[in-house]
Amino acid sequence: MSPFRTVTATKFFALQQWINSADPDHDIGCIQLAEPLGEEVGYFKIASQTDAELENALVNISGYPGDLDNGRNQYFHQNRVLRTSAHRIYYDVDTYGGQSGSPVWVQASATSEAVAVAVHAYGIGGTAPSLGVTANSGPRLSPEIVLTVKEWLQAASA
């Protein structure tokens, strides 16, 4: 049983750096749906945040990990950002295969708006040992990427 009805994907977008060289720092894309499902279930606000804003921030990930219930149920976890780099954030949030593509979001309080700041993409194997942390990671939504995503949304609605 699915929580929502099925909607067909009609168009796919990806960052050019990912298309050209599968650069893990730019592993971000969007899927256009045939129907405006977001009007029924809601949308995530997206934003670029500075290193200072992300340093030790509490981040959230919710998705469908393949190791639990064969990925049939949604699970949630939150924890702190451990490190940032120019293109990624690194966090100690429990994830598993199947959760890639989930938003990594911050939320100042239980009543404030959730804001996606990255896209979950990599487990601990994607973290360079030189960072000195055991962490999962996701490409950051830089100001340029936020602009690109907004352009994709405009193209999708045209």
Side-chain angles (χ1 to χ4, degrees):
M1 182 168 94
S2 298
F4 301 104
R5 60 188 168 79
T6 300
V7 179
T8 303
T10 59
K11 192 168 186 179
F12 300 86
F13 302 91
L15 293 175
Q16 199 60 49
Q17 298 93 325
W18 177 257
I19 293 168
N20 292 344
S21 63
D23 180 348
D25 288 343
H26 295 89
D27 188 359
I28 294 177
C30 285
I31 301 170
Q32 179 182 347
L33 302 177
E35 300 174 44
L37 187 60
E39 292 176 13
E40 293 176 37
V41 300
Y43 296 94
F44 261 97
K45 181 178 177 183
I46 61 172
S48 176
Q49 292 198 333
T50 66
D51 287 346
E53 290 171 312
L54 290 171
E55 198 80 19
N56 202 39
L58 188 63
V59 292
N60 307 274
I61 297 177
S62 186
Y64 297 85
D67 65 331
L68 299 172
D69 307 322
N70 292 319
R72 289 190 190 109
N73 293 300
Q74 188 174 33
Y75 288 84
F76 166 83
H77 191 239
Q78 66 181 182
N79 213 336
R80 301 281 173 190
V81 171
L82 299 175
R83 294 275 190 280
T84 60
S85 69
H87 298 286
R88 279 207 238 171
I89 63 172
Y90 299 87
Y91 38 81
D92 183 22
V93 176
D94 187 21
T95 64
Y96 195 82
Q99 289 181 270
S100 294
S102 298
V104 179
W105 77 90
V106 295
Q107 193 167 6
S109 71
T111 58
S112 64
E113 190 172 32
V115 179
V117 296
V119 177
H120 176 65
Y122 300 100
I124 60 174
T127 301
S130 62
L131 289 174
V133 295
T134 301
N136 296 327
S137 66
R140 288 171 77 161
L141 296 178
S142 67
E144 298 80 19
I145 291 173
V146 168
L147 181 61
T148 298
V149 170
K150 288 179 178 181
E151 289 171 356
W152 290 342
L153 294 172
Q154 287 177 339
S157 65

